[in-house]
mmCIF file of all heavy atoms in Angstrom:
data_model
loop_
_atom_site.group_PDB
_atom_site.id
_atom_site.type_symbol
_atom_site.label_atom_id
_atom_site.label_comp_id
_atom_site.label_asym_id
_atom_site.label_seq_id
_atom_site.Cartn_x
_atom_site.Cartn_y
_atom_site.Cartn_z
ATOM 1 N N ILE A 156 61.517 63.012 64.031
ATOM 2 C CA ILE A 156 61.511 63.090 65.485
ATOM 3 C C ILE A 156 62.250 64.345 65.949
ATOM 4 O O ILE A 156 63.051 64.925 65.216
ATOM 5 C CB ILE A 156 62.141 61.838 66.129
ATOM 6 C CG1 ILE A 156 63.607 61.667 65.692
ATOM 7 C CG2 ILE A 156 61.326 60.596 65.792
ATOM 8 C CD1 ILE A 156 64.317 60.510 66.396
ATOM 9 N N GLU A 157 61.979 64.764 67.172
ATOM 10 C CA GLU A 157 62.624 65.937 67.749
ATOM 11 C C GLU A 157 64.013 65.579 68.277
ATOM 12 O O GLU A 157 64.280 64.408 68.604
ATOM 13 C CB GLU A 157 61.774 66.487 68.895
ATOM 14 C CG GLU A 157 60.393 66.964 68.483
ATOM 15 C CD GLU A 157 60.450 68.173 67.569
ATOM 16 O OE1 GLU A 157 61.418 68.957 67.679
ATOM 17 O OE2 GLU A 157 59.534 68.328 66.739
ATOM 18 N N PRO A 158 64.910 66.549 68.352
ATOM 19 C CA PRO A 158 66.216 66.287 68.977
ATOM 20 C C PRO A 158 66.035 65.694 70.370
ATOM 21 O O PRO A 158 65.197 66.143 71.148
ATOM 22 C CB PRO A 158 66.857 67.683 69.041
ATOM 23 C CG PRO A 158 66.200 68.448 67.933
ATOM 24 C CD PRO A 158 64.786 67.946 67.873
ATOM 25 N N GLY A 159 66.799 64.654 70.668
ATOM 26 C CA GLY A 159 66.699 63.990 71.959
ATOM 27 C C GLY A 159 65.770 62.797 71.962
ATOM 28 O O GLY A 159 65.818 61.967 72.887
ATOM 29 N N GLN A 160 64.895 62.702 70.972
ATOM 30 C CA GLN A 160 64.033 61.526 70.879
ATOM 31 C C GLN A 160 64.798 60.363 70.261
ATOM 32 O O GLN A 160 65.793 60.557 69.560
ATOM 33 C CB GLN A 160 62.792 61.834 70.048
ATOM 34 C CG GLN A 160 61.783 62.733 70.736
ATOM 35 C CD GLN A 160 60.505 62.869 69.918
ATOM 36 O OE1 GLN A 160 60.545 63.309 68.771
ATOM 37 N NE2 GLN A 160 59.373 62.504 70.520
ATOM 38 N N ASP A 161 64.324 59.162 70.502
ATOM 39 C CA ASP A 161 64.999 57.956 70.032
ATOM 40 C C ASP A 161 63.944 56.955 69.569
ATOM 41 O O ASP A 161 63.001 56.645 70.322
ATOM 42 C CB ASP A 161 65.838 57.359 71.168
ATOM 43 C CG ASP A 161 66.498 56.055 70.777
ATOM 44 O OD1 ASP A 161 67.485 56.090 70.033
ATOM 45 O OD2 ASP A 161 66.002 54.994 71.214
ATOM 46 N N LEU A 162 64.089 56.451 68.349
ATOM 47 C CA LEU A 162 63.078 55.546 67.807
ATOM 48 C C LEU A 162 62.944 54.267 68.617
ATOM 49 O O LEU A 162 61.835 53.732 68.766
ATOM 50 C CB LEU A 162 63.392 55.222 66.351
ATOM 51 C CG LEU A 162 63.150 56.332 65.323
ATOM 52 C CD1 LEU A 162 63.570 55.867 63.933
ATOM 53 C CD2 LEU A 162 61.680 56.772 65.311
ATOM 54 N N LYS A 163 64.039 53.741 69.143
ATOM 55 C CA LYS A 163 63.953 52.510 69.932
ATOM 56 C C LYS A 163 63.102 52.739 71.183
ATOM 57 O O LYS A 163 62.225 51.935 71.515
ATOM 58 C CB LYS A 163 65.360 52.026 70.304
ATOM 59 C CG LYS A 163 66.203 51.584 69.123
ATOM 60 C CD LYS A 163 67.503 50.953 69.556
ATOM 61 C CE LYS A 163 68.453 51.971 70.157
ATOM 62 N NZ LYS A 163 68.947 52.941 69.165
ATOM 63 N N ALA A 164 63.384 53.841 71.888
ATOM 64 C CA ALA A 164 62.592 54.149 73.087
ATOM 65 C C ALA A 164 61.137 54.412 72.730
ATOM 66 O O ALA A 164 60.217 54.000 73.460
ATOM 67 C CB ALA A 164 63.198 55.356 73.807
ATOM 68 N N MET A 165 60.917 55.089 71.609
ATOM 69 C CA MET A 165 59.546 55.382 71.183
ATOM 70 C C MET A 165 58.789 54.103 70.852
ATOM 71 O O MET A 165 57.589 53.984 71.130
ATOM 72 C CB MET A 165 59.564 56.326 69.983
ATOM 73 C CG MET A 165 60.095 57.715 70.310
ATOM 74 S SD MET A 165 60.311 58.748 68.840
ATOM 75 C CE MET A 165 58.594 59.097 68.419
ATOM 76 N N LEU A 166 59.471 53.130 70.276
ATOM 77 C CA LEU A 166 58.830 51.851 69.962
ATOM 78 C C LEU A 166 58.426 51.135 71.244
ATOM 79 O O LEU A 166 57.297 50.658 71.376
ATOM 80 C CB LEU A 166 59.781 50.973 69.139
ATOM 81 C CG LEU A 166 59.266 49.582 68.793
ATOM 82 C CD1 LEU A 166 58.096 49.661 67.831
ATOM 83 C CD2 LEU A 166 60.387 48.721 68.201
ATOM 84 N N LEU A 167 59.332 51.055 72.202
ATOM 85 C CA LEU A 167 59.058 50.306 73.417
ATOM 86 C C LEU A 167 58.030 51.006 74.308
ATOM 87 O O LEU A 167 57.325 50.344 75.075
ATOM 88 C CB LEU A 167 60.368 50.068 74.176
ATOM 89 C CG LEU A 167 61.397 49.204 73.424
ATOM 90 C CD1 LEU A 167 62.685 49.095 74.210
ATOM 91 C CD2 LEU A 167 60.830 47.825 73.112
ATOM 92 N N SER A 168 57.925 52.329 74.181
ATOM 93 C CA SER A 168 56.946 53.069 74.979
ATOM 94 C C SER A 168 55.572 53.140 74.320
ATOM 95 O O SER A 168 54.609 53.596 74.935
ATOM 96 C CB SER A 168 57.444 54.490 75.234
ATOM 97 O OG SER A 168 57.419 55.259 74.034
ATOM 98 N N GLY A 169 55.479 52.724 73.067
ATOM 99 C CA GLY A 169 54.213 52.771 72.357
ATOM 100 C C GLY A 169 53.952 54.059 71.604
ATOM 101 O O GLY A 169 52.883 54.241 71.027
ATOM 102 N N GLU A 170 54.950 54.980 71.573
ATOM 103 C CA GLU A 170 54.777 56.225 70.813
ATOM 104 C C GLU A 170 54.726 55.956 69.313
ATOM 105 O O GLU A 170 54.135 56.739 68.563
ATOM 106 C CB GLU A 170 55.905 57.198 71.140
ATOM 107 C CG GLU A 170 55.889 57.753 72.544
ATOM 108 C CD GLU A 170 57.055 58.681 72.786
ATOM 109 O OE1 GLU A 170 57.010 59.853 72.342
ATOM 110 O OE2 GLU A 170 58.034 58.227 73.416
ATOM 111 N N ILE A 171 55.387 54.910 68.878
ATOM 112 C CA ILE A 171 55.219 54.413 67.515
ATOM 113 C C ILE A 171 54.796 52.956 67.611
ATOM 114 O O ILE A 171 55.054 52.286 68.621
ATOM 115 C CB ILE A 171 56.493 54.572 66.656
ATOM 116 C CG1 ILE A 171 57.695 53.868 67.291
ATOM 117 C CG2 ILE A 171 56.803 56.046 66.411
ATOM 118 C CD1 ILE A 171 58.965 53.922 66.451
ATOM 119 N N ASP A 172 54.113 52.477 66.597
ATOM 120 C CA ASP A 172 53.510 51.142 66.662
ATOM 121 C C ASP A 172 54.430 50.029 66.186
ATOM 122 O O ASP A 172 54.305 48.878 66.630
ATOM 123 C CB ASP A 172 52.231 51.128 65.816
ATOM 124 C CG ASP A 172 51.229 52.154 66.304
ATOM 125 O OD1 ASP A 172 50.604 51.910 67.350
ATOM 126 O OD2 ASP A 172 51.094 53.219 65.647
ATOM 127 N N ALA A 173 55.330 50.352 65.272
ATOM 128 C CA ALA A 173 56.249 49.362 64.709
ATOM 129 C C ALA A 173 57.465 50.112 64.182
ATOM 130 O O ALA A 173 57.477 51.342 64.120
ATOM 131 C CB ALA A 173 55.570 48.558 63.600
ATOM 132 N N ALA A 174 58.495 49.372 63.804
ATOM 133 C CA ALA A 174 59.715 50.006 63.294
ATOM 134 C C ALA A 174 60.436 49.052 62.364
ATOM 135 O O ALA A 174 60.246 47.829 62.422
ATOM 136 C CB ALA A 174 60.636 50.425 64.445
ATOM 137 N N ILE A 175 61.271 49.637 61.524
ATOM 138 C CA ILE A 175 62.017 48.878 60.520
ATOM 139 C C ILE A 175 63.511 49.031 60.749
ATOM 140 O O ILE A 175 64.030 50.149 60.826
ATOM 141 C CB ILE A 175 61.662 49.363 59.103
ATOM 142 C CG1 ILE A 175 60.210 49.025 58.771
ATOM 143 C CG2 ILE A 175 62.597 48.751 58.055
ATOM 144 C CD1 ILE A 175 59.722 49.616 57.462
ATOM 145 N N ALA A 176 64.201 47.901 60.877
ATOM 146 C CA ALA A 176 65.663 47.842 60.843
ATOM 147 C C ALA A 176 66.332 48.749 61.869
ATOM 148 O O ALA A 176 67.337 49.395 61.573
ATOM 149 C CB ALA A 176 66.167 48.166 59.440
ATOM 150 N N LEU A 177 65.796 48.780 63.089
ATOM 151 C CA LEU A 177 66.468 49.534 64.148
ATOM 152 C C LEU A 177 67.571 48.677 64.752
ATOM 153 O O LEU A 177 67.355 47.510 65.084
ATOM 154 C CB LEU A 177 65.478 49.938 65.234
ATOM 155 C CG LEU A 177 64.337 50.879 64.841
ATOM 156 C CD1 LEU A 177 63.580 51.320 66.085
ATOM 157 C CD2 LEU A 177 64.858 52.101 64.090
ATOM 158 N N THR A 178 68.757 49.235 64.904
ATOM 159 C CA THR A 178 69.864 48.499 65.500
ATOM 160 C C THR A 178 69.847 48.672 67.013
ATOM 161 O O THR A 178 69.398 49.687 67.537
ATOM 162 C CB THR A 178 71.206 48.987 64.934
ATOM 163 O OG1 THR A 178 71.349 50.391 65.200
ATOM 164 C CG2 THR A 178 71.277 48.755 63.426
ATOM 165 N N GLY A 179 70.363 47.662 67.709
ATOM 166 C CA GLY A 179 70.499 47.759 69.149
ATOM 167 C C GLY A 179 69.257 47.441 69.949
ATOM 168 O O GLY A 179 69.231 47.642 71.166
ATOM 169 N N LEU A 180 68.214 46.945 69.318
ATOM 170 C CA LEU A 180 66.998 46.560 70.043
ATOM 171 C C LEU A 180 67.208 45.244 70.781
ATOM 172 O O LEU A 180 67.840 44.324 70.251
ATOM 173 C CB LEU A 180 65.832 46.403 69.076
ATOM 174 C CG LEU A 180 64.977 47.623 68.765
ATOM 175 C CD1 LEU A 180 63.967 47.270 67.687
ATOM 176 C CD2 LEU A 180 64.270 48.159 69.993
ATOM 177 N N ASP A 181 66.685 45.142 71.981
ATOM 178 C CA ASP A 181 66.685 43.888 72.724
ATOM 179 C C ASP A 181 65.669 42.950 72.079
ATOM 180 O O ASP A 181 64.463 43.203 72.101
ATOM 181 C CB ASP A 181 66.321 44.160 74.178
ATOM 182 C CG ASP A 181 66.364 42.911 75.046
ATOM 183 O OD1 ASP A 181 66.341 41.786 74.499
ATOM 184 O OD2 ASP A 181 66.411 43.050 76.289
ATOM 185 N N GLY A 182 66.160 41.875 71.476
ATOM 186 C CA GLY A 182 65.279 40.953 70.780
ATOM 187 C C GLY A 182 64.230 40.315 71.668
ATOM 188 O O GLY A 182 63.199 39.844 71.176
ATOM 189 N N GLY A 183 64.459 40.319 72.969
ATOM 190 C CA GLY A 183 63.481 39.753 73.869
ATOM 191 C C GLY A 183 62.275 40.645 74.112
ATOM 192 O O GLY A 183 61.278 40.199 74.688
ATOM 193 N N LEU A 184 62.364 41.896 73.650
ATOM 194 C CA LEU A 184 61.288 42.853 73.892
ATOM 195 C C LEU A 184 60.413 43.088 72.664
ATOM 196 O O LEU A 184 59.395 43.778 72.764
ATOM 197 C CB LEU A 184 61.875 44.192 74.359
ATOM 198 C CG LEU A 184 62.691 44.158 75.648
ATOM 199 C CD1 LEU A 184 63.258 45.543 75.957
ATOM 200 C CD2 LEU A 184 61.841 43.662 76.815
ATOM 201 N N VAL A 185 60.803 42.542 71.518
ATOM 202 C CA VAL A 185 60.067 42.788 70.286
ATOM 203 C C VAL A 185 59.793 41.471 69.566
ATOM 204 O O VAL A 185 60.384 40.438 69.868
ATOM 205 C CB VAL A 185 60.839 43.747 69.344
ATOM 206 C CG1 VAL A 185 61.013 45.106 69.986
ATOM 207 C CG2 VAL A 185 62.192 43.158 68.949
ATOM 208 N N ARG A 186 58.893 41.549 68.597
ATOM 209 C CA ARG A 186 58.592 40.416 67.729
ATOM 210 C C ARG A 186 58.356 40.942 66.322
ATOM 211 O O ARG A 186 58.159 42.142 66.126
ATOM 212 C CB ARG A 186 57.353 39.659 68.224
ATOM 213 C CG ARG A 186 56.088 40.505 68.268
ATOM 214 C CD ARG A 186 54.877 39.678 68.689
ATOM 215 N NE ARG A 186 53.691 40.490 68.899
ATOM 216 C CZ ARG A 186 52.863 40.902 67.934
ATOM 217 N NH1 ARG A 186 53.114 40.573 66.661
ATOM 218 N NH2 ARG A 186 51.805 41.634 68.211
ATOM 219 N N THR A 187 58.368 40.060 65.360
ATOM 220 C CA THR A 187 58.134 40.488 63.992
ATOM 221 C C THR A 187 56.648 40.759 63.767
ATOM 222 O O THR A 187 55.792 40.056 64.311
ATOM 223 C CB THR A 187 58.616 39.435 62.985
ATOM 224 O OG1 THR A 187 57.900 38.213 63.182
ATOM 225 C CG2 THR A 187 60.114 39.187 63.149
ATOM 226 N N VAL A 188 56.357 41.769 62.980
ATOM 227 C CA VAL A 188 54.963 42.073 62.631
ATOM 228 C C VAL A 188 54.424 41.007 61.680
ATOM 229 O O VAL A 188 53.261 40.599 61.777
ATOM 230 C CB VAL A 188 54.863 43.474 61.993
ATOM 231 C CG1 VAL A 188 53.452 43.737 61.478
ATOM 232 C CG2 VAL A 188 55.267 44.553 62.997
#
Side-chain angles (χ1 to χ4, degrees):
I156 60 175
E157 298 294 331
Q160 288 186 301
D161 176 75
L162 287 178
K163 294 187 290 292
M165 293 173 72
L166 177 67
L167 297 177
S168 70
E170 292 179 78
I171 57 177
D172 301 285
I175 293 173
L177 297 188
T178 59
L180 271 175
D181 183 342
L184 300 178
V185 297
R186 60 177 173 83
T187 61
V188 173

